[in-house]
């Protein structure tokens, strides 16, 4: 089972140090997700990270960064938007409808199935699948190693996602909510929690 960490949607002062520490701790799939921000800030963040980690980063916007920094790939935020013309490389996608999942899997290396649980980083984003729907999707082979669970993922959900046959989980709020960007500089609790997640997914 894979463990993906998605960045906070906004930038913050200690971010490059925390990401570098997570890479040192074994993070091998970071999704750079900064919707609506100036690409200049993403460039700056990337330039502050050790270059040997670029191959572990997938970018959600400003796809030119993939080539400029030799990143791992690009992420498309829906099931159907075509891959940019002339693009060669890894592609992942977000899917929010089970009926579109089969098609999304055909057009991506892996797919985030979103709204599995209530989001811990976006309070308005609630779970949109029943346990019965997920079990049926698992039985039919729709959920497989190319589908990663997104939404409400934490230590307590790892076993359930494994049992459903997901190939990975995407962590966002569960990890970033452990660091107060206004008041803290010590981010050891973030690193410690990441280590627990890594052990849990095996």
């Amino acid at each position: 089972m894979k463990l993906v960490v998605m960045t906070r949607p906004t930038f913050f002062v200690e971010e490059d140090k925390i990401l570098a520490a997570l890479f040192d701790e074994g993070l091998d799939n970071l999704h750079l997700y900064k919707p609506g921000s100036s690409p200049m800030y993403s460039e700056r963040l990337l330039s502050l990270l050790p270059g040997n980690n670029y191959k572990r980063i997938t970018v959600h916007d400003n796809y030119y960064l993939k080539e400029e920094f030799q990143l791992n790939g690009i992420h498309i935020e829906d099931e159907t938007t075509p891959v940019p013309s002339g693009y060669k490389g890894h592609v992942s996608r977000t899917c929010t409808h089970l009926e579109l999942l089969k098609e999304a899997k055909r057009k991506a290396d892996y797919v985030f199935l979103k709204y599995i649980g209530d989001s811990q980083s976006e309070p308005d984003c609630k779970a949109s699948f029943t346990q019965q729907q997920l079990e049926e999707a698992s039985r039919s082979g729709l959920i497989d190693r190319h589908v990663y669970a997104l939404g409400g993922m934490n230590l307590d959900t790892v076993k359930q996602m494994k049992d459903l046959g997901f190939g990975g989980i995407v962590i966002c709020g569960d990890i970033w909510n452990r660091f107060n960007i206004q008041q803290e500089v010590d981010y050891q609790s973030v690193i410690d929690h990441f280590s627990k997640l890594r052990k849990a997914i095996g």
Side-chain angles (χ1 to χ4, degrees):
M1 194 181 211
K2 304 289 187 186
L3 176 59
V4 178
V5 171
M6 191 182 290
T7 63
R8 283 175 53 99
T10 53
F11 296 91
F12 61 98
V13 174
E14 303 289 332
E15 188 165 21
D16 62 294
K17 297 184 186 70
I18 296 177
L19 293 178
L22 288 172
F23 284 128
D24 287 345
E25 199 63 33
L27 174 62
D28 62 8
N29 192 337
L30 174 76
H31 274 242
L32 181 58
Y33 175 65
K34 302 291 184 181
S37 65
S38 165
M40 174 179 70
Y41 296 114
S42 290
E43 284 187 24
R44 182 171 182 278
L45 176 60
L46 288 167
S47 71
L48 291 170
L49 296 173
N52 61 335
N53 293 316
Y54 291 159
K55 285 293 183 192
R56 305 179 189 182
I57 300 173
T58 296
V59 67
H60 280 233
D61 304 287
N62 308 309
Y63 294 148
Y64 76 91
L65 294 170
K66 193 269 181 191
E67 292 306 319
E68 188 164 315
F69 288 89
Q70 296 298 295
L71 304 179
N72 182 60
I74 65 171
H75 186 90
I76 298 173
E77 296 290 349
D78 63 34
E79 302 90 344
T80 55
T81 296
V83 173
S85 176
Y87 174 78
K88 298 281 188 291
H90 292 294
V91 176
S92 54
R93 289 180 180 273
T94 297
C95 179
T96 55
H97 301 88
L98 284 171
E99 61 270 23
L100 297 176
L101 185 52
K102 189 174 181 181
E103 180 67 16
K105 286 199 293 182
R106 275 205 291 265
K107 298 175 179 174
D109 295 281
Y110 56 87
V111 175
F112 292 170
L113 185 59
K114 193 175 182 183
Y115 306 133
I116 299 297
D118 294 348
S119 172
Q120 295 166 78
S121 53
E122 300 173 272
D124 296 336
C125 297
K126 302 297 184 185
S128 61
F129 307 106
T130 65
Q131 182 66 18
Q132 189 177 355
Q133 285 175 312
L134 294 173
E135 287 172 0
E136 177 53 39
S138 177
R139 270 195 302 274
S140 68
L142 203 52
I143 292 173
D144 61 17
R145 64 190 180 90
H146 300 292
V147 181
Y148 297 1
L150 170 60
M153 293 299 108
N154 56 45
L155 271 174
D156 297 332
T157 61
V158 171
K159 184 181 184 305
Q160 182 191 5
M161 296 307 115
K162 274 185 181 173
D163 291 347
L164 285 166
F166 280 98
I169 61 170
V170 186
I171 296 289
C172 188
D174 183 52
I175 204 163
W176 298 116
N177 290 346
R178 288 163 203 284
F179 181 76
N180 184 320
I181 62 173
Q182 269 84 37
Q183 297 172 353
E184 293 182 275
V185 290
D186 180 2
Y187 46 81
Q188 191 57 46
S189 60
V190 173
I191 310 305
D192 291 345
H193 189 66
F194 173 77
S195 298
K196 289 177 189 168
L197 287 163
R198 271 193 86 208
K199 287 194 183 96
I201 66 163

